[in-house]
Amino acid sequence: MKRTAVVFWSFAVSLLAQSPAAASGEPQAGAPKADPVEAIVVSMRKAESALTSLRLVMTTRGELPSELVVTTRGTLHVLRGTQPSSHMALEYTFSDGIRGRAESASTPEGIVLYENDPADGEVYLKIENKIVADLAWAGGVLQRADLPGMADRRAESPLGSGMLAELRRHYDLKVDARTERGGEVGSWIVGARKPGLDVQDPDLPVGDRVEVFVRAKDHALLELKELQGQKVVQQVAVESLELGLDLPAKVFVVDGRGQRLRDVQQHLPMWEQIEQVLKQAEAKGGDDVVRPSRRK
């Protein structure tokens, strides 16, 4: 696998954004006790549904199976409303000195992305909206959030509710007794990895336990640490978070750094990956199932 910013998405940004839980009324007699972690997830989703715009700066650090360490620093902008848009720019560095940059913007017209990868050089591509819709459909069929050209799932749950919900698949989470982090009030959520998980699961965590902090005032996940014993093997930290900003259109323009903007179909490496996963989704769906763009 080539070493690109995919590492960043793999454990920080592209964790699946879960569907909101159904609203519940008063607990019924004999009903199980309410799960405090679920209550936090619900409060995060409620806050996410209410936000109009956001600017978030995040850093990550992770150790790969090869023992290389990769660090990233990225900025996410999200705009909701009649013209929903998102923009992510990040830089990443490996411990052997390899560096790279990735930037993408998702708007109603589709996705534009730029990558400067040490192995493959620079690419500057546009992906039209019908292909983005095909990939969103394929991601649902294949239960994947890492398909090339997909819209950024972090933009769907920018306060981190999808990240926390996904962690619950692999860890037995509970609310810890601690109630602050650096003087800020919130909830620490901790847990050990569940026993008997499928070792073939591509999302299987590398840590044997996890610690998460969610700030009370804005219901934002500010820190996530996966640990093996006392060693932190993966870490996500929010440096800054601003809500309710006035975001001009230029924020959602990707800088191609002098490269010519090409349609993704003109870039065979990515187009072949897209076609492969769309065919896989069609094959999984059955003989009569086709991607949305080919339906009559």
Side-chain angles (χ1 to χ4, degrees):
M1 180 184 296
K2 70 176 185 177
R3 301 183 304 173
T4 68
V6 168
V7 175
F8 179 86
W9 314 121
S10 69
F11 68 88
V13 173
S14 292
L15 292 172
L16 289 171
Q18 306 295 311
S19 299
S24 58
E26 293 298 320
Q28 303 298 313
K33 185 178 180 181
D35 178 1
V37 177
E38 174 63 19
I40 292 173
V41 173
V42 170
S43 69
M44 295 172 74
R45 287 173 175 155
K46 184 177 180 180
E48 286 169 340
S49 67
L51 69 82
T52 57
S53 64
L54 167 148
R55 180 181 185 271
L56 177 150
V57 180
M58 174 190 292
T59 61
T60 75
R61 181 185 184 279
E63 184 172 317
L64 305 182
S66 62
E67 296 187 353
L68 278 173
V69 174
V70 56
T71 58
T72 75
R73 188 175 190 271
T75 301
L76 172 69
H77 291 91
V78 175
L79 178 66
R80 302 276 177 82
T82 57
Q83 295 289 315
S85 304
S86 64
H87 177 272
M88 167 68 83
L90 68 93
E91 296 180 348
Y92 57 95
T93 305
F94 289 87
S95 54
D96 62 359
I98 299 294
R99 297 174 178 269
R101 180 180 177 86
E103 184 177 354
S104 67
S106 176
T107 70
E109 288 71 46
I111 291 176
V112 174
L113 62 88
Y114 168 85
E115 268 197 38
N116 185 0
D117 178 78
D120 298 331
E122 294 178 280
V123 295
Y124 185 36
L125 304 173
K126 60 180 179 180
I127 305 171
E128 59 183 317
N129 200 40
K130 69 177 183 179
I131 297 174
V132 177
D134 283 348
L135 288 165
W137 166 78
V141 173
L142 301 174
Q143 291 297 293
R144 290 180 59 185
D146 61 342
L147 303 182
M150 285 188 77
D152 178 19
R153 287 293 183 95
R154 176 72 198 221
E156 297 179 20
S157 59
L159 298 181
S161 69
M163 190 179 295
L164 182 56
E166 178 69 5
L167 288 171
R168 297 179 74 195
R169 292 179 53 222
H170 298 115
Y171 292 97
D172 286 317
L173 298 180
K174 63 181 180 180
V175 177
D176 193 57
R178 293 171 292 170
T179 58
E180 68 170 12
R181 170 184 175 269
E184 293 187 298
V185 176
S187 299
W188 280 98
I189 301 164
V190 301
R193 189 164 68 172
K194 294 179 179 179
L197 295 176
D198 181 5
V199 295
Q200 301 301 318
D201 182 353
D203 297 320
L204 190 69
V206 296
D208 51 44
R209 61 188 178 92
V210 68
E211 296 184 358
V212 175
F213 179 79
V214 177
R215 186 164 58 188
K217 72 176 183 180
D218 51 16
H219 309 283
L221 190 158
L222 297 188
E223 183 176 356
L224 182 158
K225 293 189 293 186
E226 291 188 37
L227 301 99
Q228 288 178 345
Q230 298 300 312
K231 180 181 179 182
V232 177
V233 290
Q234 291 185 350
Q235 183 170 12
V236 178
V238 172
E239 283 190 3
S240 66
L241 173 64
E242 300 170 88
L243 304 176
L245 303 176
D246 182 15
L247 298 177
K250 65 180 181 181
V251 169
F252 304 98
V253 176
V254 174
D255 183 0
R257 288 162 173 74
Q259 298 296 307
R260 179 174 64 88
L261 183 63
R262 294 185 292 162
D263 189 277
V264 69
Q265 297 185 48
Q266 298 176 322
H267 184 65
L268 287 181
M270 182 174 288
W271 181 244
E272 288 175 351
Q273 291 182 61
I274 290 173
E275 274 293 297
Q276 182 181 28
V277 296
L278 292 177
K279 289 177 180 178
Q280 288 174 351
E282 289 173 332
K284 186 174 181 179
D287 294 338
D288 298 327
V289 175
V290 296
R291 66 197 71 174
S293 65
R294 291 184 177 176
R295 297 173 190 170
K296 295 181 180 179

